[in-house]
Amino acid sequence: MVRVLLLLLTVAFVKADGDFSELTDPAWRDVIENGGLHIGSGRTKRFIQLNTNQANIPYQSCTLPNGKAGRCRQLRHCIQEDFKKDYLVFMDYVCVIERSSIGVCCPENEVKEGIEALAGDLPATAPKNEDDEILLKINRAENRGCGLSTRAQGRITGSRPANPREWPWMASITPYGFEQYCGGVLITDRHVLTAAHCTRRWDADELYVRLGEYDLQRTNDSRSYNFKVVEKIQHPNFELSSYHNDIAILKLHRPAVFNTYVWPICLPPADLDLTNEIATVIGWGTQWYGGPHSNVLMEVSVPVWEHKKCVDAFVDSVFTETVCAGGLEGGKDACQGDSGGPLMYQMSSGRWAVVGVVSWGLRCGEPNHPGLYARVDKYLDWILLNSRF
C-alpha cells in the first residue's frame, strides 16, 4: 500500500495541453506548478515528481462512485467535476492500472454494467451527519476505494509469510489476555466482519480488534492500532452444532483512520461463481493441526471447489451459504486460529473482495477435504442492514 500511495501522488492532475485554469483549488495548483509535492516529514519527507507523459488508454473495467461502470484511465485523461475541487472525493475514483500504478475510474458510455457494480456496496466511512438516513443510503451506493492493493493474485503455493503492506484490511480479534484468537476483515471504518463462533463466548466489551498488525511479537509496532468493540452482531440463525450462518459483525468504538496499513476490503457482487478460481486466505493460525500459531501473518492461495464435490466430501454441514476451498492434495488450507479471517478473491477490476469467512474444516490441509467458509455474497443484505454507524 505504500507503493500505491506513492504512485497515487505521481499522477499529473493536468489537462493534455497543460492548462491549469480550471483547477480552482490552490492546493492542486501549487502541486502542479511546482512539478510535484512533498509528503511525510522529518527523515521520511520526500519530493514526488509528477508524471505528465501518460497515454490515453482505457484499461480494465471499474465501478464509479454512483455504481455505474467505467474504465480505469490515467488521471490527466479523466478529470471529473466531482473531484476536481476536492482531493478526498477524488479518492473515491481511484483504481489500480495493471497492478502497478494508480488511475481513476472514468465513465464511458460504451461500457456495460456488470455484476461487479455491486462490489463494495457499503460506505467505507460514516456519513458526517449520522442521523441523515438519506445521506447514508446515498453513501451505501458508492464504491469508496475498497480493496486496493498492488498485490497480484499468485499461483497456488504453499503457506508463506505475507507481505506486511499487501493486506491492510486484516484484523486480529482477541479477548482480553489472549495473544491471538481469531481473524477478521475491515469492511468500513467502524466494522469488522468475522465468524460467529469467534464471538459467541464473549460480550462485546471483552473483545479487542487490532488493525495494521503483521508481527505479533512486535509489541511497539507504530503501524498497528487497537480498538474496543462496542457492539457484537452475530447472525441470528447461527447454529453452533453445524456452524451454519457462521458470520458476525463487530463495531469499533471509534472510526479507523485509513492509511498504508489500514484499508477496507470490498464486499463481493452477488452470485459470483468462483468454481475452480484461485482465492487467498490469510491469518496467524497454527502452522499445522495442533502446532504453534504463526507470529507473522501468513497467506496461502487455494482453489475454490465445485459445490457438489464439497458436499460429497463432507456429507453434511455443507450448505448453500458455504464456499469450500483448499488444495486437492492437501497441505493448503486455513487452520486453527485462522477462524473469522478472509478468503479473498481479486476481481477483474483489480480490487480484492472478501468472498468467504473462515469457518471450519476437518483438521487442517487434509487431502480431499477443503476448508469451509461462510459465503459472504449470501449475506450481503444482512451485512448492509447491520453495518450501522
Side-chain angles (χ1 to χ4, degrees):
M1 287 299 295
V2 165
R3 185 181 178 194
V4 168
L5 294 177
L6 292 179
L7 288 167
L8 175 60
L9 295 171
T10 64
V11 293
F13 197 61
V14 299
K15 299 171 71 175
D17 57 5
D19 180 9
F20 311 142
S21 61
E22 295 185 12
L23 304 179
T24 57
D25 189 326
W28 283 110
R29 191 182 305 114
D30 290 346
V31 166
I32 294 164
E33 290 176 352
N34 286 286
L37 73 165
H38 286 94
I39 63 169
S41 60
R43 294 178 61 186
T44 62
K45 187 174 182 179
R46 65 184 66 189
F47 184 79
I48 302 300
Q49 183 72 34
L50 292 173
N51 177 13
T52 58
N53 298 315
Q54 298 163 328
N56 186 10
I57 299 173
Y59 292 92
Q60 78 277 1
S61 62
C62 57
T63 304
L64 292 159
N66 62 9
K68 295 183 179 180
R71 284 296 186 97
C72 196
R73 290 177 180 269
Q74 299 287 356
L75 172 59
R76 70 189 299 262
H77 299 297
C78 188
I79 298 174
Q80 299 293 299
E81 290 296 328
D82 283 357
F83 63 67
K84 187 163 61 177
K85 301 175 184 178
D86 191 333
Y87 184 79
L88 293 179
V89 174
F90 161 66
M91 293 295 292
D92 295 344
Y93 286 78
V94 169
C95 55
V96 179
I97 295 176
E98 295 182 338
R99 299 173 178 171
S100 61
S101 64
I102 289 294
V104 293
C105 194
C106 187
E108 290 194 354
N109 294 332
E110 66 271 19
V111 178
K112 296 182 180 180
E113 294 187 27
I115 60 173
E116 287 190 10
L118 295 175
D121 192 26
L122 268 180
T125 57
K128 294 180 180 178
N129 181 358
E130 295 188 12
D131 295 326
D132 190 341
E133 289 300 321
I134 295 177
L135 180 59
L136 181 57
K137 290 178 181 178
I138 291 173
N139 278 331
R140 277 184 173 161
E142 293 183 353
N143 187 316
R144 309 291 288 183
C146 60
L148 287 173
S149 173
T150 55
R151 169 67 155 81
Q153 178 61 281
R155 57 188 175 84
I156 303 176
T157 64
S159 180
R160 68 179 182 87
N163 185 303
R165 297 169 180 163
E166 289 178 342
W167 310 120
W169 35 78
M170 186 60 185
S172 171
I173 299 170
T174 55
Y176 180 78
F178 284 72
E179 182 180 35
Q180 170 58 23
Y181 186 68
C182 274
V185 66
L186 190 68
I187 56 174
T188 81
D189 65 347
R190 292 289 297 274
H191 299 96
V192 169
L193 194 67
T194 188
H197 80 263
C198 288
T199 65
R200 69 178 186 85
R201 295 173 51 192
W202 314 98
D203 293 331
D205 60 6
E206 296 179 292
L207 294 171
Y208 296 86
V209 170
R210 193 168 177 87
L211 301 176
E213 182 62 276
Y214 176 72
D215 187 341
L216 299 176
Q217 290 190 324
R218 293 185 57 172
T219 57
N220 62 343
D221 193 342
S222 60
R223 302 173 306 189
S224 58
Y225 306 86
N226 293 316
F227 297 83
K228 297 177 183 178
V229 175
V230 295
E231 187 176 7
K232 177 189 76 171
I233 308 167
Q234 285 188 178
H235 195 283
N237 297 322
F238 169 60
E239 298 175 359
L240 181 60
S241 60
S242 63
Y243 278 32
H244 192 194
N245 303 309
D246 190 14
I247 194 166
I249 296 171
L250 300 179
K251 183 177 179 180
L252 308 180
H253 79 286
R254 59 183 171 87
V257 177
F258 297 159
N259 58 34
T260 301
Y261 301 99
V262 178
W263 199 265
I265 196 170
C266 294
L267 296 177
D271 301 320
L272 182 63
D273 184 7
L274 296 178
T275 302
N276 297 322
E277 295 288 334
I278 301 300
T280 300
V281 60
I282 55 178
W284 292 276
T286 59
Q287 298 173 52
W288 60 84
Y289 185 76
H293 72 78
S294 174
N295 290 317
V296 299
L297 186 64
M298 301 291 286
E299 67 175 62
V300 62
S301 296
V302 290
V304 177
W305 283 37
E306 192 272 326
H307 189 73
K308 184 180 183 303
K309 186 173 182 179
C310 184
V311 172
D312 293 342
F314 286 94
V315 181
D316 57 8
S317 296
V318 180
F319 307 95
T320 304
E321 299 85 4
T322 301
V323 62
C324 306
L328 293 175
E329 71 287 0
K332 300 180 180 69
D333 195 5
C335 206
Q336 296 161 299
D338 288 325
S339 292
L343 178 70
M344 308 173 297
Y345 177 72
Q346 189 173 35
M347 299 178 292
S348 60
S349 62
R351 297 176 188 267
W352 289 84
V354 51
V355 296
V357 173
V358 179
S359 182
W360 69 281
L362 181 64
R363 296 171 62 92
C364 305
E366 294 290 314
N368 299 312
H369 286 89
L372 283 79
Y373 303 77
R375 181 172 169 172
V376 175
D377 70 336
K378 296 297 185 180
Y379 298 97
L380 292 177
D381 289 343
W382 179 82
I383 293 171
L384 292 171
L385 180 65
N386 289 282
S387 296
R388 300 184 296 264
F389 289 94

Short mmCIF file of all heavy atoms in Angstrom, two decimals, residues 84-135:
data_model
loop_
_atom_site.label_atom_id
_atom_site.label_comp_id
_atom_site.label_asym_id
_atom_site.label_seq_id
_atom_site.Cartn_x
_atom_site.Cartn_y
_atom_site.Cartn_z
N LYS A 84 -12.58 17.43 -8.93
CA LYS A 84 -11.59 18.41 -9.35
C LYS A 84 -11.25 19.40 -8.23
O LYS A 84 -10.12 19.89 -8.13
CB LYS A 84 -12.10 19.16 -10.57
CG LYS A 84 -11.08 20.10 -11.18
CD LYS A 84 -11.47 20.48 -12.60
CE LYS A 84 -12.80 21.20 -12.63
NZ LYS A 84 -13.12 21.62 -14.02
N LYS A 85 -12.23 19.69 -7.38
CA LYS A 85 -12.02 20.67 -6.32
C LYS A 85 -11.92 20.04 -4.92
O LYS A 85 -11.86 20.75 -3.93
CB LYS A 85 -13.16 21.69 -6.33
CG LYS A 85 -13.29 22.42 -7.66
CD LYS A 85 -14.51 23.33 -7.66
CE LYS A 85 -14.68 23.98 -9.02
NZ LYS A 85 -15.88 24.85 -9.09
N ASP A 86 -11.89 18.73 -4.88
CA ASP A 86 -11.88 18.06 -3.57
C ASP A 86 -11.06 16.79 -3.64
O ASP A 86 -11.47 15.80 -4.24
CB ASP A 86 -13.32 17.74 -3.14
CG ASP A 86 -13.40 17.29 -1.68
OD1 ASP A 86 -12.40 16.76 -1.17
OD2 ASP A 86 -14.47 17.47 -1.08
N TYR A 87 -9.89 16.80 -3.02
CA TYR A 87 -8.99 15.65 -3.07
C TYR A 87 -9.60 14.42 -2.42
O TYR A 87 -9.38 13.30 -2.87
CB TYR A 87 -7.68 16.01 -2.37
CG TYR A 87 -6.63 14.92 -2.46
CD1 TYR A 87 -5.88 14.76 -3.62
CD2 TYR A 87 -6.40 14.07 -1.39
CE1 TYR A 87 -4.93 13.77 -3.71
CE2 TYR A 87 -5.45 13.08 -1.48
CZ TYR A 87 -4.71 12.94 -2.63
OH TYR A 87 -3.78 11.95 -2.72
N LEU A 88 -10.40 14.61 -1.36
CA LEU A 88 -10.99 13.47 -0.69
C LEU A 88 -12.01 12.78 -1.58
O LEU A 88 -12.12 11.55 -1.58
CB LEU A 88 -11.64 13.92 0.62
CG LEU A 88 -10.67 14.41 1.70
CD1 LEU A 88 -11.43 14.85 2.94
CD2 LEU A 88 -9.66 13.33 2.06
N VAL A 89 -12.78 13.55 -2.34
CA VAL A 89 -13.72 12.95 -3.29
C VAL A 89 -12.97 12.20 -4.38
O VAL A 89 -13.37 11.14 -4.84
CB VAL A 89 -14.63 14.03 -3.89
CG1 VAL A 89 -15.52 13.44 -4.99
CG2 VAL A 89 -15.49 14.67 -2.82
N PHE A 90 -11.83 12.76 -4.78
CA PHE A 90 -11.00 12.10 -5.78
C PHE A 90 -10.64 10.68 -5.37
O PHE A 90 -10.59 9.76 -6.21
CB PHE A 90 -9.74 12.93 -6.00
CG PHE A 90 -8.60 12.20 -6.64
CD1 PHE A 90 -8.69 11.74 -7.94
CD2 PHE A 90 -7.42 11.95 -5.94
CE1 PHE A 90 -7.64 11.05 -8.54
CE2 PHE A 90 -6.39 11.27 -6.53
CZ PHE A 90 -6.49 10.82 -7.82
N MET A 91 -10.43 10.45 -4.08
CA MET A 91 -10.06 9.12 -3.61
C MET A 91 -11.13 8.07 -3.92
O MET A 91 -10.83 6.89 -4.06
CB MET A 91 -9.81 9.16 -2.10
CG MET A 91 -8.60 9.98 -1.69
SD MET A 91 -7.05 9.28 -2.30
CE MET A 91 -6.96 7.79 -1.33
N ASP A 92 -12.39 8.51 -4.07
CA ASP A 92 -13.46 7.57 -4.37
C ASP A 92 -13.36 7.01 -5.79
O ASP A 92 -13.98 6.01 -6.12
CB ASP A 92 -14.83 8.24 -4.21
CG ASP A 92 -15.10 8.64 -2.77
OD1 ASP A 92 -14.39 8.14 -1.89
OD2 ASP A 92 -16.01 9.45 -2.54
N TYR A 93 -12.60 7.69 -6.65
CA TYR A 93 -12.47 7.28 -8.05
C TYR A 93 -11.21 6.46 -8.32
O TYR A 93 -10.98 6.03 -9.45
CB TYR A 93 -12.44 8.52 -8.95
CG TYR A 93 -13.77 9.21 -9.12
CD1 TYR A 93 -14.28 10.04 -8.14
CD2 TYR A 93 -14.51 9.04 -10.29
CE1 TYR A 93 -15.50 10.68 -8.29
CE2 TYR A 93 -15.73 9.68 -10.46
CZ TYR A 93 -16.22 10.50 -9.45
OH TYR A 93 -17.43 11.12 -9.62
N VAL A 94 -10.40 6.28 -7.31
CA VAL A 94 -9.10 5.64 -7.50
C VAL A 94 -9.25 4.19 -7.96
O VAL A 94 -10.10 3.44 -7.47
CB VAL A 94 -8.29 5.69 -6.20
CG1 VAL A 94 -7.05 4.80 -6.29
CG2 VAL A 94 -7.86 7.12 -5.90
N CYS A 95 -8.44 3.77 -8.91
CA CYS A 95 -8.38 2.38 -9.36
C CYS A 95 -6.93 2.03 -9.65
O CYS A 95 -6.08 2.90 -9.78
CB CYS A 95 -9.27 2.14 -10.59
SG CYS A 95 -8.93 3.24 -11.99
N VAL A 96 -6.64 0.73 -9.75
CA VAL A 96 -5.28 0.25 -9.99
C VAL A 96 -5.13 -0.13 -11.45
O VAL A 96 -5.92 -0.91 -11.99
CB VAL A 96 -4.96 -0.96 -9.10
CG1 VAL A 96 -3.55 -1.46 -9.37
CG2 VAL A 96 -5.11 -0.58 -7.63
N ILE A 97 -4.13 0.42 -12.12
CA ILE A 97 -3.86 0.12 -13.52
C ILE A 97 -2.76 -0.94 -13.62
O ILE A 97 -1.64 -0.73 -13.14
CB ILE A 97 -3.44 1.39 -14.29
CG1 ILE A 97 -4.59 2.39 -14.33
CG2 ILE A 97 -2.97 1.05 -15.70
CD1 ILE A 97 -4.23 3.70 -14.98
N GLU A 98 -3.10 -2.06 -14.20
CA GLU A 98 -2.16 -3.15 -14.45
C GLU A 98 -1.37 -3.52 -13.19
O GLU A 98 -0.20 -3.87 -13.25
CB GLU A 98 -1.20 -2.77 -15.58
CG GLU A 98 -1.92 -2.62 -16.92
CD GLU A 98 -1.00 -2.31 -18.07
OE1 GLU A 98 0.12 -1.79 -17.80
OE2 GLU A 98 -1.37 -2.57 -19.23
N ARG A 99 -2.06 -3.42 -12.03
CA ARG A 99 -1.49 -3.86 -10.76
C ARG A 99 -0.20 -3.15 -10.40
O ARG A 99 0.58 -3.62 -9.57
CB ARG A 99 -1.24 -5.38 -10.78
CG ARG A 99 -2.50 -6.19 -10.99
CD ARG A 99 -2.18 -7.64 -11.15
NE ARG A 99 -3.41 -8.43 -11.31
CZ ARG A 99 -3.43 -9.70 -11.64
NH1 ARG A 99 -2.30 -10.35 -11.84
NH2 ARG A 99 -4.57 -10.36 -11.76
N SER A 100 0.05 -1.99 -11.00
CA SER A 100 1.33 -1.33 -10.73
C SER A 100 1.22 0.17 -10.55
O SER A 100 2.14 0.77 -9.99
CB SER A 100 2.31 -1.62 -11.88
OG SER A 100 1.79 -1.11 -13.11
N SER A 101 0.16 0.81 -11.01
CA SER A 101 0.05 2.25 -10.88
C SER A 101 -1.39 2.64 -10.62
O SER A 101 -2.32 1.85 -10.81
CB SER A 101 0.59 2.96 -12.13
OG SER A 101 -0.20 2.63 -13.26
N ILE A 102 -1.58 3.88 -10.21
CA ILE A 102 -2.89 4.37 -9.83
C ILE A 102 -3.52 5.18 -10.96
O ILE A 102 -2.86 6.00 -11.60
CB ILE A 102 -2.78 5.25 -8.57
CG1 ILE A 102 -2.47 4.37 -7.36
CG2 ILE A 102 -4.03 6.05 -8.31
CD1 ILE A 102 -3.59 3.44 -7.00
N GLY A 103 -4.81 4.94 -11.20
CA GLY A 103 -5.57 5.74 -12.14
C GLY A 103 -6.89 6.13 -11.52
O GLY A 103 -7.09 5.99 -10.32
N VAL A 104 -7.81 6.61 -12.35
CA VAL A 104 -9.14 6.96 -11.87
C VAL A 104 -10.18 6.24 -12.71
O VAL A 104 -9.98 5.97 -13.90
CB VAL A 104 -9.40 8.48 -11.93
CG1 VAL A 104 -8.52 9.21 -10.95
CG2 VAL A 104 -9.23 9.03 -13.33
N CYS A 105 -11.29 5.92 -12.09
CA CYS A 105 -12.39 5.27 -12.79
C CYS A 105 -13.13 6.33 -13.60
O CYS A 105 -13.67 7.30 -13.05
CB CYS A 105 -13.33 4.60 -11.80
SG CYS A 105 -14.49 3.45 -12.58
N CYS A 106 -13.13 6.16 -14.91
CA CYS A 106 -13.65 7.17 -15.84
C CYS A 106 -14.91 6.64 -16.51
O CYS A 106 -14.93 5.52 -17.03
CB CYS A 106 -12.59 7.48 -16.88
SG CYS A 106 -12.99 8.85 -17.97
N PRO A 107 -16.01 7.41 -16.52
CA PRO A 107 -17.25 6.93 -17.15
C PRO A 107 -17.10 6.82 -18.66
O PRO A 107 -16.51 7.68 -19.30
CB PRO A 107 -18.27 8.00 -16.77
CG PRO A 107 -17.47 9.22 -16.51
CD PRO A 107 -16.17 8.75 -15.93
N GLU A 108 -17.63 5.75 -19.21
CA GLU A 108 -17.63 5.56 -20.66
C GLU A 108 -18.96 4.97 -21.07
O GLU A 108 -19.38 3.94 -20.53
CB GLU A 108 -16.48 4.66 -21.10
CG GLU A 108 -15.13 5.32 -20.94
CD GLU A 108 -14.04 4.55 -21.69
OE1 GLU A 108 -14.33 3.48 -22.22
OE2 GLU A 108 -12.93 5.07 -21.74
N ASN A 109 -19.61 5.57 -22.01
CA ASN A 109 -20.96 5.14 -22.40
C ASN A 109 -20.99 3.74 -22.96
O ASN A 109 -21.97 3.01 -22.82
CB ASN A 109 -21.54 6.11 -23.44
CG ASN A 109 -21.77 7.50 -22.87
OD1 ASN A 109 -22.00 7.63 -21.67
ND2 ASN A 109 -21.68 8.51 -23.71
N GLU A 110 -19.88 3.34 -23.59
CA GLU A 110 -19.91 2.03 -24.23
C GLU A 110 -19.65 0.89 -23.28
O GLU A 110 -19.73 -0.28 -23.66
CB GLU A 110 -18.89 1.98 -25.38
CG GLU A 110 -17.43 2.07 -24.94
CD GLU A 110 -16.97 3.52 -24.86
OE1 GLU A 110 -17.84 4.41 -24.79
OE2 GLU A 110 -15.75 3.75 -24.90
N VAL A 111 -19.29 1.19 -22.04
CA VAL A 111 -19.01 0.14 -21.06
C VAL A 111 -20.32 -0.34 -20.47
O VAL A 111 -21.09 0.43 -19.92
CB VAL A 111 -18.08 0.66 -19.95
CG1 VAL A 111 -17.86 -0.44 -18.92
CG2 VAL A 111 -16.76 1.10 -20.54
N LYS A 112 -20.57 -1.62 -20.55
CA LYS A 112 -21.79 -2.19 -19.98
C LYS A 112 -21.60 -2.47 -18.51
O LYS A 112 -20.54 -2.88 -18.08
CB LYS A 112 -22.16 -3.49 -20.71
CG LYS A 112 -22.50 -3.29 -22.17
CD LYS A 112 -22.89 -4.61 -22.81
CE LYS A 112 -23.25 -4.43 -24.27
NZ LYS A 112 -23.62 -5.71 -24.91
N GLU A 113 -22.65 -2.27 -17.76
CA GLU A 113 -22.59 -2.54 -16.33
C GLU A 113 -22.57 -4.05 -16.09
O GLU A 113 -23.32 -4.80 -16.70
CB GLU A 113 -23.78 -1.92 -15.61
CG GLU A 113 -23.78 -0.40 -15.66
CD GLU A 113 -24.87 0.19 -14.80
OE1 GLU A 113 -25.26 -0.46 -13.83
OE2 GLU A 113 -25.32 1.29 -15.12
N GLY A 114 -21.71 -4.49 -15.18
CA GLY A 114 -21.63 -5.91 -14.86
C GLY A 114 -21.99 -6.14 -13.43
O GLY A 114 -22.32 -5.22 -12.68
N ILE A 115 -21.92 -7.39 -13.03
CA ILE A 115 -22.32 -7.71 -11.66
C ILE A 115 -21.36 -7.12 -10.66
O ILE A 115 -21.71 -6.93 -9.50
CB ILE A 115 -22.40 -9.23 -11.47
CG1 ILE A 115 -21.04 -9.90 -11.75
CG2 ILE A 115 -23.46 -9.83 -12.33
CD1 ILE A 115 -21.03 -11.36 -11.42
N GLU A 116 -20.14 -6.78 -11.08
CA GLU A 116 -19.20 -6.23 -10.14
C GLU A 116 -19.55 -4.81 -9.72
O GLU A 116 -18.92 -4.23 -8.86
CB GLU A 116 -17.78 -6.27 -10.71
CG GLU A 116 -17.22 -7.68 -10.73
CD GLU A 116 -15.75 -7.72 -11.05
OE1 GLU A 116 -15.11 -6.65 -11.06
OE2 GLU A 116 -15.23 -8.81 -11.29
N ALA A 117 -20.57 -4.21 -10.35
CA ALA A 117 -21.02 -2.88 -9.94
C ALA A 117 -21.49 -2.89 -8.50
O ALA A 117 -21.56 -1.86 -7.84
CB ALA A 117 -22.13 -2.39 -10.85
N LEU A 118 -21.85 -4.05 -7.99
CA LEU A 118 -22.34 -4.15 -6.62
C LEU A 118 -21.22 -4.32 -5.60
O LEU A 118 -21.45 -4.22 -4.41
CB LEU A 118 -23.31 -5.33 -6.50
CG LEU A 118 -24.60 -5.22 -7.29
CD1 LEU A 118 -25.38 -6.52 -7.16
CD2 LEU A 118 -25.42 -4.05 -6.81
N ALA A 119 -20.03 -4.60 -6.06
CA ALA A 119 -18.94 -4.88 -5.13
C ALA A 119 -18.65 -3.67 -4.26
O ALA A 119 -18.61 -2.54 -4.72
CB ALA A 119 -17.68 -5.27 -5.91
N GLY A 120 -18.45 -3.92 -3.00
CA GLY A 120 -18.13 -2.84 -2.08
C GLY A 120 -19.33 -1.97 -1.77
O GLY A 120 -19.18 -0.79 -1.50
N ASP A 121 -20.53 -2.52 -1.79
CA ASP A 121 -21.75 -1.73 -1.63
C ASP A 121 -21.99 -1.36 -0.16
O ASP A 121 -23.00 -1.69 0.43
CB ASP A 121 -22.94 -2.52 -2.18
CG ASP A 121 -24.18 -1.66 -2.30
OD1 ASP A 121 -24.02 -0.44 -2.45
OD2 ASP A 121 -25.29 -2.22 -2.25
N LEU A 122 -21.01 -0.67 0.40
CA LEU A 122 -21.11 -0.13 1.76
C LEU A 122 -20.35 1.19 1.77
O LEU A 122 -19.38 1.35 1.03
CB LEU A 122 -20.44 -1.06 2.78
CG LEU A 122 -21.26 -2.11 3.48
CD1 LEU A 122 -20.35 -2.89 4.42
CD2 LEU A 122 -22.39 -1.50 4.27
N PRO A 123 -20.74 2.13 2.59
CA PRO A 123 -19.87 3.29 2.76
C PRO A 123 -18.64 2.88 3.55
O PRO A 123 -18.74 2.18 4.55
CB PRO A 123 -20.74 4.27 3.57
CG PRO A 123 -21.68 3.38 4.31
CD PRO A 123 -21.92 2.19 3.44
N ALA A 124 -17.47 3.26 3.10
CA ALA A 124 -16.26 2.91 3.83
C ALA A 124 -16.11 3.77 5.08
O ALA A 124 -15.43 3.39 6.01
CB ALA A 124 -15.03 3.07 2.94
N THR A 125 -16.73 4.93 5.08
CA THR A 125 -16.68 5.80 6.25
C THR A 125 -18.08 6.27 6.59
O THR A 125 -18.95 6.37 5.72
CB THR A 125 -15.79 7.03 5.99
OG1 THR A 125 -16.28 7.73 4.84
CG2 THR A 125 -14.35 6.62 5.73
N ALA A 126 -18.27 6.57 7.85
CA ALA A 126 -19.60 7.01 8.30
C ALA A 126 -19.94 8.37 7.70
O ALA A 126 -19.06 9.21 7.49
CB ALA A 126 -19.62 7.10 9.82
N PRO A 127 -21.23 8.61 7.39
CA PRO A 127 -21.64 9.94 6.94
C PRO A 127 -21.33 10.98 8.01
O PRO A 127 -21.31 10.67 9.20
CB PRO A 127 -23.16 9.78 6.75
CG PRO A 127 -23.39 8.32 6.62
CD PRO A 127 -22.32 7.66 7.44
N LYS A 128 -21.08 12.21 7.57
CA LYS A 128 -20.76 13.27 8.53
C LYS A 128 -21.92 13.49 9.50
O LYS A 128 -21.72 13.78 10.67
CB LYS A 128 -20.43 14.56 7.78
CG LYS A 128 -19.15 14.46 6.96
CD LYS A 128 -18.86 15.75 6.23
CE LYS A 128 -17.59 15.65 5.41
NZ LYS A 128 -17.32 16.89 4.65
N ASN A 129 -23.14 13.39 8.97
CA ASN A 129 -24.32 13.52 9.81
C ASN A 129 -24.91 12.13 10.00
O ASN A 129 -25.59 11.61 9.12
CB ASN A 129 -25.35 14.45 9.16
CG ASN A 129 -26.59 14.63 10.02
OD1 ASN A 129 -26.71 14.03 11.09
ND2 ASN A 129 -27.50 15.46 9.56
N GLU A 130 -24.64 11.51 11.12
CA GLU A 130 -25.03 10.12 11.32
C GLU A 130 -26.54 9.95 11.40
O GLU A 130 -27.05 8.84 11.29
CB GLU A 130 -24.37 9.56 12.59
CG GLU A 130 -22.86 9.50 12.47
CD GLU A 130 -22.22 8.77 13.63
OE1 GLU A 130 -22.95 8.12 14.39
OE2 GLU A 130 -20.99 8.85 13.79
N ASP A 131 -27.27 11.04 11.59
CA ASP A 131 -28.73 10.95 11.67
C ASP A 131 -29.40 11.12 10.31
O ASP A 131 -30.61 11.00 10.20
CB ASP A 131 -29.28 12.02 12.63
CG ASP A 131 -28.81 11.76 14.05
OD1 ASP A 131 -28.68 10.58 14.41
OD2 ASP A 131 -28.58 12.74 14.78
N ASP A 132 -28.59 11.41 9.31
CA ASP A 132 -29.16 11.68 8.00
C ASP A 132 -29.28 10.37 7.22
O ASP A 132 -28.34 9.91 6.59
CB ASP A 132 -28.28 12.67 7.23
CG ASP A 132 -28.95 13.18 5.96
OD1 ASP A 132 -29.90 12.53 5.47
OD2 ASP A 132 -28.51 14.23 5.46
N GLU A 133 -30.46 9.76 7.25
CA GLU A 133 -30.65 8.45 6.62
C GLU A 133 -30.55 8.54 5.09
O GLU A 133 -30.13 7.61 4.42
CB GLU A 133 -32.02 7.87 7.01
CG GLU A 133 -32.09 7.43 8.45
CD GLU A 133 -31.07 6.34 8.77
OE1 GLU A 133 -30.87 5.46 7.92
OE2 GLU A 133 -30.46 6.39 9.85
N ILE A 134 -30.94 9.69 4.54
CA ILE A 134 -30.85 9.85 3.08
C ILE A 134 -29.40 9.82 2.66
O ILE A 134 -29.01 9.13 1.70
CB ILE A 134 -31.52 11.16 2.65
CG1 ILE A 134 -33.02 11.11 2.95
CG2 ILE A 134 -31.27 11.41 1.16
CD1 ILE A 134 -33.74 12.39 2.61
N LEU A 135 -28.56 10.55 3.39
CA LEU A 135 -27.14 10.56 3.07
C LEU A 135 -26.52 9.17 3.23
O LEU A 135 -25.71 8.75 2.42
CB LEU A 135 -26.41 11.55 3.99
CG LEU A 135 -24.88 11.68 3.79
CD1 LEU A 135 -24.58 12.11 2.36
CD2 LEU A 135 -24.31 12.67 4.78
#
